[in-house]
């Protein structure tokens, strides 16, 4: 099914970028979604197709947008328990468990967060990101736990999407890393792109990629006999790139406990505390948790914030380290 939107450029937008004009004129779509429509040749300016979101529009230009609805994918709703932190008619904040994929993709179409959302909310979710990602505004990695905000309608989705684009949503993560990051606190600002040697990984680049900014603060360094130095670090994201914290910590010369992708392969210890090694062995995936989330509610316009507890595996290792260092 096609939905056609027709617009005329107001005088105040004369000389502005096409994607900026569209995002300011259409509330129900995010700027990134509108960019995709332009690049997919679904936007005409004066009956001519342009594929660059950055072209400048002129006063009284006629814009026609064709929004093609995707073919329905057979995503099967599945009864999976959700840890709901907050809910109203516009949004839903959930605490995603470690091991759950956010949305369906290659090799996983059944046990994702989307399957759980479709079972509970059916069609009462935004569809801006298509049929594979109903309600999904942002993501966290499969083996990262923590807070996610879900949009129940397109208006809320567009509003939250703009907050992410404007970097006004605050996200703080807690993590356990090997060694000590120097300096103890700071800002990491780089470009992040896909690794040429392994397309499943991301890497820091000096010449191409997307800008990524991570503010970090070392909360505590554990220096305990028979255990390598470990740091408890709080990271606050200004951007949300794929694997951002893990890539930035690797760039700083360290990695997260339990990180099989960016950590050291086949790490061996000459001598290791038995209790610590036991808890480390039980840790499935990286010790990384999206602990706090703060944003402006899309409907009430009030700032709201949420906090979540660390998952059990992370909590047990941290508790053990605290006890051994006291």
């Amino acid at each position: 099914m096609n939905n056609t939107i027709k617009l005329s450029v107001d005088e105040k937008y004369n000389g502005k970028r096409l994607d900026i004009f569209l995002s300011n004129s259409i509330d129900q779509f995010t700027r990134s979604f509108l960019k995709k429509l332009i690049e997919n040749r679904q936007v005409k300016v004066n009956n001519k197709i342009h594929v660059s979101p950055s072209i400048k529009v002129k006063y009284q230009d006629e814009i026609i947008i064709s929004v093609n609805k995707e073919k329905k994918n057979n995503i099967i709703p599945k009864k999976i328990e959700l840890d709901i932190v907050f809910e109203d008619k516009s949004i839903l904040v959930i605490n995603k468990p470690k091991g759950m994929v956010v949305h369906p993709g290659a090799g996983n179409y059944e046990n994702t967060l989307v399957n759980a959302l479709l079972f509970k909310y059916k069609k009462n979710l935004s569809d801006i990101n298509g049929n594979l990602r109903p309600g999904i505004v942002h993501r966290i990695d499969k083996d990262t736990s923590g807070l996610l905000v879900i949009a129940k309608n397109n208006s809320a989705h567009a509003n939250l999407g703009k907050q992410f684009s404007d970097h006004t949503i605050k996200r703080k993560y807690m993590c356990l890393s090997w060694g000590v990051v120097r300096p103890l606190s700071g800002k990491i600002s780089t470009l992040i792109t896909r690794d040429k040697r392994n397309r499943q990984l991301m890497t820091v680049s000096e010449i191409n990629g997307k800008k990524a900014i991570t503010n970090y603060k070392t909360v505590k360094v554990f220096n305990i006999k028979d255990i390598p130095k470990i740091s408890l670090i709080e990271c606050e994201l200004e951007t949300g790139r794929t694997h951002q914290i893990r890539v930035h910590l690797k760039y700083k010369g360290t990695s997260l406990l339990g990180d099989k992708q960016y950590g050291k392969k086949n790490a061996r210890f000459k001598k290791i505390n038995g209790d610590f090694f036991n808890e480390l062995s039980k840790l499935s995936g990286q010790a990384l948790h999206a602990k706090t989330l703060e944003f402006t509610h899309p409907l009430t316009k009030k700032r709201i914030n949420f906090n979540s507890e660390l998952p059990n595996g992370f909590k047990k290792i941290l508790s053990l380290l605290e006890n051994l260092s006291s």
Side-chain angles (χ1 to χ4, degrees):
M1 187 179 83
N2 291 345
N3 181 23
T4 301
I5 301 171
K6 296 182 180 181
L7 300 168
S8 180
V9 177
D10 294 339
E11 191 170 3
K12 66 180 179 179
Y13 291 111
N14 184 52
K16 298 291 185 183
R17 286 172 54 118
L18 175 59
D19 59 338
I20 291 175
F21 164 68
L22 293 180
S23 65
N24 287 334
S25 303
I26 307 172
D27 290 337
Q28 69 264 40
F29 298 139
T30 62
R31 185 172 166 187
S32 59
F33 178 76
L34 291 165
K35 276 186 176 181
K36 287 179 184 176
L37 292 182
I38 297 167
E39 291 164 352
N40 290 338
R41 307 175 68 85
Q42 291 172 246
V43 177
K44 291 182 179 180
V45 181
N46 298 327
N47 217 31
K48 183 179 179 182
I49 292 174
H50 295 271
V51 294
S52 172
S54 63
I55 69 157
K56 303 296 192 292
V57 295
K58 297 177 181 177
Y59 174 48
Q60 293 187 332
D61 276 352
E62 297 297 322
I63 316 289
I64 299 175
I65 305 137
S66 299
V67 184
N68 300 321
K69 295 293 184 182
E70 298 175 13
K71 291 181 180 179
K72 289 289 181 184
N73 291 282
N74 294 322
I75 302 174
I76 302 168
K78 192 163 183 179
K79 189 175 183 179
I80 302 171
E81 187 176 345
L82 293 172
D83 182 1
I84 299 171
V85 178
F86 174 85
E87 181 178 3
D88 63 15
K89 64 181 181 181
S90 299
I91 62 169
L92 174 73
V93 177
I94 67 134
N95 190 25
K96 185 191 83 69
K98 185 187 288 281
M100 175 185 273
V101 174
V102 171
H103 60 76
N108 194 337
Y109 282 86
E110 293 186 2
N111 297 303
T112 73
L113 174 60
V114 162
N115 296 96
L117 290 171
L118 286 174
F119 182 88
K120 186 171 177 64
Y121 298 99
K122 299 177 174 62
K123 294 182 180 179
N124 298 315
L125 297 163
S126 72
D127 62 3
I128 283 181
N129 272 341
N131 297 309
L132 285 176
R133 304 180 185 185
I136 303 301
V137 182
H138 63 127
R139 295 175 292 170
I140 54 179
D141 299 337
K142 174 185 175 182
D143 287 325
T144 298
S145 54
L147 297 173
L148 282 170
V149 58
I150 308 296
K152 287 188 171 182
N153 55 62
N154 288 353
S155 176
H157 193 136
N159 182 284
L160 291 166
K162 187 174 189 307
Q163 290 186 61
F164 274 105
S165 297
D166 294 342
H167 310 310
T168 58
I169 288 186
K170 290 188 177 182
R171 289 166 290 167
K172 289 184 180 180
Y173 289 68
M174 298 303 297
C175 60
L176 287 170
S177 79
W178 296 108
V180 182
V181 179
R182 302 291 184 187
L184 293 176
S185 299
K187 175 182 285 194
I188 307 170
S189 182
T190 71
L191 297 176
I192 286 181
T193 188
R194 201 160 288 281
D195 193 310
K196 291 180 181 179
R197 290 172 294 182
N198 185 342
R199 303 296 293 173
Q200 293 183 324
L201 300 180
M202 309 300 288
T203 188
V204 165
S205 171
E206 293 185 0
I207 56 174
N208 55 42
K210 295 180 178 179
K211 189 173 184 179
I213 302 173
T214 304
N215 296 288
Y216 71 93
K217 177 176 67 177
T218 301
V219 178
K220 188 170 183 177
V221 175
F222 296 98
N223 191 1
I224 303 166
K225 185 182 178 183
D226 294 338
I227 296 177
K229 279 187 182 178
I230 292 171
S231 296
L232 175 64
I233 301 173
E234 178 188 271
C235 295
E236 184 170 350
L237 298 185
E238 287 190 33
T239 57
R241 308 305 177 201
T242 302
H243 303 170
Q244 180 173 315
I245 292 173
R246 300 159 70 193
V247 172
H248 271 169
L249 286 176
K250 184 176 181 179
Y251 172 71
K252 295 290 283 185
T254 186
S255 63
L256 298 177
L257 273 65
D259 193 337
K260 294 180 175 63
Q261 288 182 294
Y262 294 94
K264 293 180 181 178
K265 301 290 187 293
N266 302 317
R268 294 182 180 180
F269 307 99
K270 290 182 180 179
K271 192 174 182 182
I272 189 78
N273 178 286
D275 291 335
F276 171 77
F277 186 74
N278 185 43
E279 292 300 339
L280 181 65
S281 301
K282 293 178 187 174
L283 190 65
S284 57
Q286 60 272 1
L288 179 62
H289 179 70
K291 197 171 192 310
T292 64
L293 185 63
E294 181 183 319
F295 54 90
T296 300
H297 191 285
L299 193 62
T300 67
K301 308 305 177 187
K302 292 180 180 178
R303 289 294 284 184
I304 51 177
N305 61 78
F306 304 95
N307 187 57
S308 63
E309 284 193 16
L310 296 170
N312 283 337
F314 191 131
K315 195 187 297 184
K316 285 180 179 179
I317 289 181
L318 183 57
S319 178
L320 178 64
L321 292 172
E322 293 281 8
N323 290 335
L324 291 173
S325 63
S326 59

